[in-house]
Amino acid sequence: MNIEKTLGEKVVEAAKTLYNTTIELSSVSFQKTNKEFEGDITLVVFPYLKVSKKSPEETARQIGEFLKANAPEVAAYNVVKGFLNLVVTDKFWLEFFSSNQQSTIHNQPSTTMVEYSSPNTNKPLHLGHVRNILLGHAVSEILQAVGNKVIKVNLVNDRGIHICKSMLAWQKWGNGETPESAKMKGDHLIGKYYVEFDKQLKPQIAELKAKGISEEEAEKKAPLMLEAQEMLRQWEAGDKEVIDLWKKMNGWVYDGFASTYKDLGTTFEKTYYESETYLLGKELIEMGLQKGVLQRNPDSSVFIDLTADKLDKKILLRSDGTSVYMTQDLGTAVKRQEEFGFDRLIYTVGNEQDYHFKVLFLILKKLGFKWAEGCYHLSYGMVELPDGKMKSREGTVVDADELIAEMISTARQTSEELGKLEGFTEEEKASLYRTLGLGALKYFILKVDPKKKMLFNPKESIDFNGNTGPFIQYTHARIQSIFRKGGVDPGSIKSTINDQQSTITKQEKELIKMLYNYPAVLKQAATTYNPADVANYVYDLAKEYNQFYHDLPILKEEKEELKNFRLALSARVAEKIKSSMNLLGIEVPDRM
RNA sequence: GGCCCCGUAGCUCAGCUGGAUAGAGCAACUGCCUUCUAAGCAGUAGGUCGUGCGUUCGAAUCGCGCCGGGGUCACCA
């Protein structure tokens, strides 16, 4: 059931009959009719003037007349300048609605791996990570909804100098403190020592600088820094004491992350650890050298020359034979391909790494991996605060756990003020506040186009009115309330409206049209990896429903037939709100 | 400096595969709860779509230049 296609074919016929010309079906495109004109679907006739050799108005009129005579779906038409507005019959919409069919979308199912989150283990998650996690999760859900097999993976950066900093600080000043003894989440505890390290390091650097050593040099030569580097060497050498400490402290961090992931409602099929992948990729270097794709410097470091592709030269192996970030990413990608045989691999990583991924994918192609075509960098903009960027070092970060707690508490406050929760147990209330607080946060982040940077104002961004998650959740709760009041089971409403004689109101038709559009929206969101398409759709749907709800009686409608139709319509809208929101990782309550 | 991204109402964002008088929300102002949840609905006000050329019957949308903001150009990750 596809009205565009049906009418498009008729337009092709019209061109044949009226102007004796063959036009391609694919070249016929319709758009939504503007609100201020009558009609559902509009054909812009300007492109056909050359063929018709008539004025825009006359051309539109002729095609309109043809369609009205030959397409049973067209009830009427009107012409405004070169715009042919077509009114689709109520019968068509009602039949679509009562058939309860999806206007199906064709999609090549594939196996898609989505990498997201990818945290460091030396500090807790902040708002930037939240955007990453929500995006990765939502994109995974959307891809799955259109029929792909999705494998969600996380790549944890659990090794390196930054972790040694936290370890060293804890060793020196921690007095054996644990998350239990400090009553702190593990990731926050580690973060505390990471900050402590920096605090202790600063005076050392200042001291060296006072002796006339350059800033850069001072940072490297400060005693604490030397100790941290020594610790990293011991880690790489497999020193048992260091490894044990590392395992213990990472364990704390993972417990902390697990709880944040749980709050955000995401899970991973597989977690990769850099401590296990950082040596990967070296054998690719040998292969690349043999293929002549890579070159070796006199100092025996290895690089690839991408200047012909308007990129730079990139080192892939240091002169001491150790690998770099890029090498590791190459190796990890190959390993993943071997393990899962994906068709697509999506990296959810901030846009500051655009260049890195451009290079990564290009090297994979040059090494001869065909599947590199299926690699994609889901690049997203930063989250900025009113006073600028978030920087961990400067403490200008919005902590994920604190933010979540704050959203939940605001939800509680708002709910208590409104006082609609009579009969709720304390647990039910607590669960609702979570649903609402997290709904507000997730929707706030996902409604904006991923590739754009976004501004988060802690004071103003927590809103529950207007274009927000709770507004949409509220609409769902409202619908469920109707069913409760009417003692109706939404699953078993029989809408037996007689579509021969009945007409539908503007509000009803708009809702049916939106239900009709859902698959197209989903497809669009999936092909552009953009959850914001779903977010904007579900907002529009909720807004449209609220209008319908306000303007027309549902339970109070006296005609049984019409009442059932409106109940059925409400049920279908509720379903769509629920499934759309679930794609965004947002739950919808039945009461609020 | 080279390359990449962005610039739409006071604020936060839609619209961008070219189409009609550029849309929402927030903030401001005004109405609507003895009627299915007012976290709602309706309305007023707010825009030379950064700017200048160009392509086109038609440009917020495409191209080029300029201005402004951000990112990135490690044998760091």
Side-chain angles (χ1 to χ4, degrees):
Chain A
M1 209 172 218
N2 187 321
I3 187 76
E4 287 87 353
K5 189 160 174 278
T6 311
L7 294 181
E9 281 162 3
K10 295 290 177 193
V11 171
V12 173
E13 256 181 70
K16 189 93 189 147
T17 314
L18 297 170
Y19 312 123
N20 196 25
T21 330
T22 304
I23 54 173
E24 289 297 316
L25 176 61
S26 59
S27 75
V28 182
S29 75
F30 293 95
Q31 59 189 27
K32 261 191 264 176
T33 304
N34 268 24
K35 286 257 176 183
E36 56 263 49
F37 301 109
E38 203 201 341
D40 301 306
I41 188 168
T42 292
L43 181 73
V44 182
V45 302
F46 289 109
Y48 309 119
L49 298 186
K50 278 179 206 134
V51 176
S52 73
K53 301 198 172 64
K54 301 242 162 51
S55 71
E57 289 83 354
E58 182 58 14
T59 309
R61 201 195 56 75
Q62 286 186 324
I63 299 176
E65 204 53 47
F66 183 92
L67 291 177
K68 197 182 164 194
N70 294 286
E73 295 85 0
V74 175
Y77 73 92
N78 64 80
V79 175
V80 182
K81 292 187 263 182
F83 298 88
L84 172 59
N85 300 322
L86 301 165
V87 180
V88 175
T89 58
D90 288 354
K91 184 165 181 276
F92 173 84
W93 296 118
L94 285 168
E95 274 177 8
F96 159 73
F97 181 72
S98 56
S99 72
N100 202 1
Q101 277 175 8
Q102 292 274 340
S103 40
T104 40
I105 38 166
H106 298 285
N107 185 61
Q108 290 271 327
S110 72
T111 300
T112 304
M113 178 179 279
V114 182
E115 178 196 297
Y116 61 103
S117 183
S118 309
N120 289 347
T121 55
N122 65 330
K123 54 178 185 279
L125 304 171
H126 60 66
L127 187 49
H129 297 111
V130 172
R131 190 176 195 191
N132 181 306
I133 293 166
L134 296 178
L135 270 173
H137 179 82
V139 165
S140 301
E141 292 294 313
I142 290 165
L143 289 174
Q144 206 155 33
V146 298
N148 297 288
K149 179 173 188 265
V150 175
I151 305 150
K152 298 181 288 181
V153 301
N154 193 355
L155 175 60
V156 179
N157 182 2
D158 61 343
R159 64 169 286 279
I161 193 75
H162 49 284
I163 285 112
C164 291
K165 290 179 182 176
S166 296
M167 286 161 64
L168 192 63
W170 182 84
Q171 222 173 28
K172 284 182 177 298
W173 307 293
N175 296 317
E177 193 174 39
T178 64
E180 292 75 37
S181 75
K183 294 194 171 54
M184 254 175 127
K185 270 183 84 213
D187 49 341
H188 289 264
L189 185 72
I190 302 298
K192 177 180 145 187
Y193 286 102
Y194 185 67
V195 170
E196 183 64 25
F197 179 91
D198 231 42
K199 211 170 113 191
Q200 301 280 348
L201 180 68
K202 268 190 183 142
Q204 295 188 352
I205 292 175
E207 202 177 309
L208 289 175
K209 272 170 75 180
K211 289 179 187 162
I213 298 170
S214 76
E215 168 117 33
E216 205 179 322
E217 194 72 359
E219 266 176 37
K220 283 184 191 160
K221 292 285 164 63
L224 266 178
M225 233 12 221
L226 294 176
E227 269 190 87
Q229 271 152 10
E230 175 55 25
M231 195 177 237
L232 182 58
R233 269 189 290 279
Q234 287 169 349
W235 182 92
E236 284 182 4
D239 180 285
K240 188 174 182 309
E241 206 175 310
V242 172
I243 296 281
D244 284 349
L245 177 62
W246 173 76
K247 281 185 181 159
K248 175 163 76 178
M249 292 181 69
N250 269 343
W252 294 345
V253 172
Y254 297 144
D255 290 344
F257 285 174
S259 117
T260 309
Y261 288 145
K262 196 173 170 230
D263 279 344
L264 293 175
T266 203
T267 53
F268 300 95
E269 267 74 67
K270 171 150 189 170
T271 298
Y272 289 89
Y273 297 92
E274 286 198 10
S275 56
E276 291 162 4
T277 63
Y278 81 109
L279 295 175
L280 291 176
K282 282 193 183 179
E283 68 281 9
L284 293 175
I285 303 297
E286 206 42 54
M287 183 187 118
L289 284 168
Q290 276 169 22
K291 284 194 169 189
V293 176
L294 309 183
Q295 289 164 270
R296 197 183 285 277
N297 277 322
D299 67 0
S300 86
S301 60
V302 176
F303 69 99
I304 183 162
D305 186 352
L306 299 172
T307 48
D309 297 279
K310 292 184 180 165
L311 298 169
D312 304 309
K313 289 183 183 176
K314 179 72 201 172
I315 287 279
L316 294 177
L317 219 51
R318 297 190 187 97
S319 51
D320 66 2
T322 57
S323 55
V324 296
Y325 177 46
M326 185 64 77
T327 324
Q328 171 187 327
D329 265 7
L330 290 166
T332 306
V334 172
K335 184 182 169 158
R336 286 171 169 175
Q337 175 61 220
E338 287 163 2
E339 285 178 357
F340 293 96
F342 58 78
D343 302 303
R344 283 187 291 179
L345 171 55
I346 296 166
Y347 293 88
T348 312
V349 180
N351 63 9
E352 69 273 13
Q353 295 203 40
D354 284 356
Y355 182 78
H356 173 80
F357 283 102
K358 212 189 256 183
V359 172
L360 174 66
F361 300 156
L362 184 59
I363 297 177
L364 284 170
K365 269 174 215 165
K366 286 191 184 283
L367 288 175
F369 297 108
K370 284 204 193 79
W371 47 263
E373 293 290 338
C375 290
Y376 179 77
H377 176 204
L378 175 52
S379 166
Y380 63 91
M382 301 193 172
V383 182
E384 290 181 2
L385 301 176
D387 32 320
K389 281 170 57 180
M390 287 198 291
K391 283 180 180 156
S392 312
R393 280 233 184 117
E394 285 155 41
T396 56
V397 289
V398 175
D399 179 78
D401 296 317
E402 280 173 27
L403 177 60
I404 290 168
E406 207 178 315
M407 297 300 287
I408 294 172
S409 120
T410 310
R412 190 190 63 232
Q413 220 175 308
T414 309
S415 287
E416 281 171 356
E417 276 165 23
L418 292 170
K420 297 180 184 175
L421 301 180
E422 217 174 297
F424 267 54
T425 65
E426 284 310 309
E427 293 89 75
E428 283 169 338
K429 283 184 186 171
S431 150
L432 176 65
Y433 302 152
R434 285 181 64 79
T435 301
L436 297 177
L438 285 163
L441 175 62
K442 292 175 179 180
Y443 183 84
F444 180 84
I445 288 174
L446 290 173
K447 77 174 175 183
V448 346
D449 185 339
K451 62 178 184 287
K452 291 193 176 177
K453 67 177 182 217
M454 62 179 290
L455 189 111
F456 184 84
N457 185 333
K459 287 197 180 67
E460 293 170 10
S461 296
I462 304 173
D463 204 335
F464 288 73
N465 299 314
N467 188 356
T468 66
F471 167 86
I472 298 161
Q473 291 170 318
Y474 173 75
T475 308
H476 182 265
R478 229 181 185 187
I479 297 174
Q480 299 310 321
S481 167
I482 296 173
F483 297 139
R484 273 194 305 276
K485 277 258 156 77
V488 183
D489 169 17
S492 64
I493 306 161
K494 290 237 166 52
S495 172
T496 53
I497 199 154
N498 183 340
D499 52 37
Q500 287 302 321
Q501 39 188 273
S502 63
T503 55
I504 46 178
T505 64
K506 195 170 161 292
Q507 292 92 330
E508 290 160 341
K509 187 155 95 169
E510 278 310 312
L511 284 175
I512 296 177
K513 274 154 76 173
M514 293 200 74
L515 294 173
Y516 179 86
N517 279 335
Y518 179 76
V521 171
L522 206 57
K523 186 178 181 180
Q524 170 81 7
T527 34
T528 58
Y529 306 108
N530 187 1
D533 288 339
V534 175
N536 290 320
Y537 168 82
V538 70
Y539 170 68
D540 289 339
L541 180 62
K543 191 153 175 55
E544 195 64 48
Y545 183 83
N546 278 322
Q547 226 175 88
F548 160 83
Y549 175 93
H550 179 265
D551 295 348
L552 305 170
I554 302 167
L555 283 176
K556 290 190 173 141
E557 171 54 48
E558 287 170 5
K559 282 185 223 143
E560 193 66 12
E561 221 180 37
L562 191 50
K563 175 177 148 186
N564 282 336
F565 168 64
R566 289 184 181 157
L567 281 168
L569 187 54
S570 300
R572 292 275 289 284
V573 169
E575 261 169 47
K576 279 290 171 280
I577 288 178
K578 185 174 182 175
S579 54
S580 302
M581 290 294 262
N582 286 348
L583 292 178
L584 303 177
I586 303 171
E587 290 172 17
V588 287
D590 288 342
R591 247 189 92 183
M592 65 186 272

